[in-house]
Amino acid sequence: MLGAETPPAKLKVIVTGGHPGDPEYGCGGTVARYTDLGHEVVLLYLNRGEKVCPETAAAASANVRPGEAAAACAILKARPMFAGQCDGHAVVDAAHDEEFRRLIEAERPDVLFTHWPIDGHADHRAISALSYSAWLKLGKRFAFYYYEVSNGEDTLMFLPTDYVDITAVEPRKRAACYAHASQSPDRFYALQSQVTRFRGVESGHAQAEAFIRHAQSPYHALP
Ligand SMILES: [Zn+2]
């Protein structure tokens, strides 16, 4: 859809995140709204939340996080994908850049969301950089948005351009975040709720998710 001024009627949406749970915390309400409208959504995680890198067969079978991601995606009617990197050891170099571009190209997205690049976690900065590079290399032909997670600890200096009202779907977002039971959801969901309530105050809703739309996105494509 290079150069298109309007998005296709049925969207393919990719939300990239450093770890299992990041797309759900940052965009879970927006994802639920997309899938309720019949759009297709993929949550693409940079790693599987491994404790051991590279992950041994024994460690992989003991790793609960891919299963938590699958449960979260089922709640949001999305599909999980993993980009094959290691938790806490993200690599951004020419080879990984090319590998990630191929992954994105094969999925043919109409919209892509990723972490805002000013972030306390190196894995978040890495997938943000890989996603942006893929968008540039693929000719900026799909809409590109940044999202926020765990503000103050992770995302910083985020000034939204766009908002999505998630009030009606917040219970499903909450359930998807709580599917990541190994990741202290009481603590992190409380923090993320402060963010969505504040974004709601800004945008005139009870709760909202906020985004920064890249100024060169070919079209607007939020639900
Ligand atoms: Zn993360």
Side-chain angles (χ1 to χ4, degrees):
M1 298 298 289
L2 183 61
E5 292 179 357
T6 55
K10 185 177 188 323
L11 297 170
K12 170 73 168 284
V13 179
I14 298 181
V15 184
T16 74
H19 311 95
D22 286 318
E24 295 89 327
Y25 274 82
C27 309
T30 299
V31 169
R33 288 202 47 191
Y34 273 128
T35 59
D36 281 354
L37 291 166
H39 302 302
E40 181 183 354
V41 181
V42 173
L43 305 191
L44 173 55
Y45 310 105
L46 186 61
N47 61 62
R48 293 159 38 90
E50 301 90 338
K51 285 204 167 56
V52 181
C53 296
E55 199 171 38
T56 62
S61 68
N63 183 1
V64 299
R65 298 192 63 186
E68 292 176 343
C73 283
I75 291 164
L76 298 174
K77 295 185 282 182
R79 172 164 61 88
M81 269 183 71
F82 295 90
Q85 291 216 25
C86 283
D87 190 2
H89 298 79
V91 180
V92 181
D93 61 12
H96 288 82
D97 202 75
E98 177 61 12
E99 186 185 340
F100 196 80
R101 181 195 65 76
R102 287 174 195 267
L103 207 60
I104 298 297
E105 185 172 34
E107 289 292 321
R108 302 175 59 83
D110 302 300
V111 191
L112 189 143
F113 294 82
T114 193
H115 289 272
W116 174 243
I118 302 176
D119 189 294
H121 202 304
D123 290 348
H124 299 176
R125 298 195 297 273
I127 199 163
S128 183
L130 293 168
S131 298
Y132 188 50
S133 181
W135 185 66
L136 295 176
K137 287 180 172 176
L138 294 170
K140 307 176 191 173
R141 64 189 184 219
F142 45 86
F144 193 93
Y145 293 91
Y146 291 103
Y147 67 84
E148 55 183 342
V149 285
S150 295
N151 304 49
E153 294 190 354
D154 293 333
T155 302
L156 285 170
M157 301 169 68
F158 190 86
L159 298 172
T161 60
D162 292 89
Y163 299 84
V164 172
D165 177 6
I166 66 157
T167 309
V169 292
E170 187 277 335
R172 273 166 53 215
K173 172 178 182 173
R174 167 187 284 265
C177 292
Y178 270 79
H180 295 277
S182 71
Q183 301 303 303
S184 311
D186 282 336
R187 176 181 169 218
F188 287 110
Y189 198 76
L191 177 57
Q192 201 69 33
S193 287
Q194 287 186 304
V195 174
T196 53
R197 287 178 196 285
F198 178 69
R199 296 310 183 195
V201 169
E202 285 185 325
S203 60
H205 305 291
Q207 295 206 51
E209 287 170 348
F211 302 98
I212 295 175
R213 174 181 173 265
H214 196 293
Q216 295 179 359
S217 285
Y219 40 67
H220 291 262
L222 292 175

